[in-house]
Amino acid sequence: MSKIKNAFQNGKAFIAFLTAGDPSADKTVEYILDMEEAGADLVEIGIPFSDPTAEGVVIQEANIRALKAGMTTDGVFDIVRRVREKSQIPLVFLTYLNPVFHYGYDAFFEKCRELSVDGIIIPDLPFEEKGELAPIVASNGVDLISMISPTSEERIRKIAKDAAGFIYIVSSMGVTGVRSQITTDLSSIVNMVRKVTEIPCAVGFGISTPEQAEKMAAVSDGAIVGSAIVKIIAANGANAGEALKEYVRSMKAGVRAAD
């Protein structure tokens, strides 16, 4: 049974992303626990991949560092196992279809079930093509999380109706990365979603300041931050713990201010 709903049960959620294995497996475990301690409600773990098409340069470089350091899909599963020895925070994988396909769909999601991975986001899996994967994911108690970008009302409603876990609303077209301004009419997208489902929705792509987090959480159920966290890890390497905790505390305060 997915624990994703727990991330939203005490108000607006702060969702943090990092890349597994950057700078090392040990530090990834430590940083997930640090971010939980600082107030993260859910952590997305990026499985490193050589061609992460939805990612901007910050996360692309983190993928390259992690792969060069020897991180593998089994290594990511081992990170989750170690986190689960100390924490039951909701955990979601963010990965591309290729690593899952090569691991084997059944084997991958059986491992997710065994280790209590709660959900998965696959940016390069179109809604229309998720049919072969969805039953395998669901049968292992994992939520296949939908991404909704600024598009037609009909498509937004179709994706939202079929969603599980939470809905990832993409704030801006393009790839991930810090943005100084987010101008998309997100409240309209959220309103369309809420007409067809009660599943919570959180906004990601480009959020980096507490003010942005508050603004995004005010129109949705939470804020997702990736590139800004990965930047802190890139700048501090094996000594990022305190800087991460301070940053997550400030972002959680921004999200809380929207409650």
Side-chain angles (χ1 to χ4, degrees):
M1 190 65 182
S2 162
K3 297 183 289 299
I4 287 174
K5 65 180 184 302
N6 297 349
F8 299 88
Q9 67 185 5
N10 296 316
K12 309 282 186 177
F14 177 67
I15 297 171
F17 168 91
L18 47 53
T19 300
D22 179 33
S24 68
D26 288 349
K27 287 295 168 181
T28 301
V29 173
E30 181 183 314
Y31 293 163
I32 291 169
L33 297 172
D34 282 344
M35 291 195 295
E36 179 184 23
E37 180 190 327
D41 299 289
L42 183 151
V43 175
E44 292 177 9
I45 302 172
I47 298 179
F49 178 50
S50 57
D51 190 23
T53 51
E55 313 301 349
V57 66
V58 170
I59 295 177
Q60 282 183 22
E61 288 175 351
N63 276 260
I64 292 164
R65 287 193 298 270
L67 290 169
K68 279 186 174 170
M71 184 49 58
T72 63
T73 303
D74 276 326
V76 180
F77 280 127
D78 191 57
I79 285 169
V80 174
R81 180 188 59 75
R82 292 167 64 190
V83 170
R84 284 286 176 245
E85 288 171 358
K86 297 183 176 179
S87 170
Q88 290 304 312
I89 187 171
L91 295 175
V92 168
F93 281 150
L94 191 149
T95 186
Y96 291 80
L97 195 58
N98 192 283
V100 183
F101 174 78
H102 277 284
Y103 200 90
Y105 293 157
D106 289 310
F108 184 93
F109 290 105
E110 283 166 14
K111 198 82 172 168
C112 287
R113 183 186 64 207
E114 178 191 323
L115 295 170
S116 297
V117 174
D118 300 290
I120 187 165
I121 302 165
I122 306 176
D124 63 342
L125 177 65
F127 173 75
E128 291 77 8
E129 293 174 22
K130 70 176 195 175
E132 68 177 277
L133 197 58
I136 300 169
V137 180
S139 69
N140 285 287
V142 179
D143 289 326
L144 182 55
I145 293 162
S146 298
M147 299 181 90
I148 288 179
S149 54
T151 182
S152 70
E153 181 169 354
E154 182 189 352
R155 184 168 175 77
I156 288 168
R157 285 173 176 241
K158 188 192 289 185
I159 295 170
K161 244 182 217 177
D162 198 46
F166 74 93
I167 293 170
Y168 190 130
I169 294 182
V170 177
S171 72
S172 319
M173 299 302 276
V175 296
T176 58
V178 171
R179 286 166 173 78
S180 57
Q181 282 188 308
I182 295 168
T183 56
T184 308
D185 182 5
L186 294 165
S187 59
S188 293
I189 296 173
V190 173
N191 288 339
M192 289 177 211
V193 167
R194 286 184 171 152
K195 283 176 184 171
V196 296
T197 183
E198 293 180 357
I199 285 176
C201 45
V203 180
F205 275 49
I207 300 166
S208 61
T209 68
E211 294 75 23
Q212 286 175 327
E214 180 180 355
K215 195 183 276 190
M216 297 303 107
V219 298
S220 70
D221 301 301
I224 305 163
V225 175
S227 293
I229 287 169
V230 173
K231 267 185 161 178
I232 291 169
I233 294 170
N236 295 277
N239 301 304
E242 285 309 313
L244 273 179
K245 283 195 275 192
E246 185 180 335
Y247 179 72
V248 170
R249 276 193 289 267
S250 73
M251 295 300 280
K252 178 63 177 179
V255 169
R256 257 201 212 108
D259 264 327

